[in-house]
Amino acid sequence: MASGQDKVVGASLLTFSTIVFVYYTLWAIVMPFVDESYFLHDYFPRREYAIRIPCVLLVFGLTVILTFLSMVMIKSKKKVEKKSA
């Protein structure tokens, strides 16, 4: 059963991710169809970053995951070698 603190953390993470999703969707999908002189363009970065930022985050995330997996594999191999010796 989830405690009250777990529910608060879950709700805040859900709220944050929803805000990020709506902002990115507006930025990447809706704003290219809005006139360049419209005031909403001041609240968004240039469109090229709509591709660059997710790509950089994806590369960083995959690097962290693969580094973790390789460290686990190296440690487990050392344990197996230690047991057989």
Side-chain angles (χ1 to χ4, degrees):
M1 197 70 153
S3 68
Q5 185 179 6
D6 291 341
K7 290 181 180 180
V8 170
V9 170
S12 61
L13 286 173
L14 181 63
T15 303
F16 176 74
S17 62
T18 302
I19 290 169
V20 168
F21 175 76
V22 168
Y23 181 84
Y24 183 79
T25 302
L26 286 173
W27 177 31
I29 297 175
V30 175
M31 291 310 290
F33 299 107
V34 176
D35 189 29
E36 290 287 333
S37 62
Y38 199 60
F39 74 96
L40 280 180
H41 278 282
D42 297 336
Y43 297 106
F44 297 95
R46 292 185 294 177
R47 279 189 226 135
E48 65 189 38
Y49 292 117
I51 301 298
R52 287 184 182 179
I53 291 172
C55 287
V56 168
L57 290 175
L58 180 66
V59 168
F60 178 74
L62 286 175
T63 302
V64 168
I65 290 168
L66 293 175
T67 301
F68 173 75
L69 287 175
S70 64
M71 295 299 290
V72 168
M73 291 172 63
I74 290 170
K75 286 184 180 183
S76 67
K77 185 178 178 183
K78 286 182 182 177
K79 283 183 180 180
V80 169
E81 289 176 354
K82 204 178 222 184
K83 283 184 180 181
S84 16

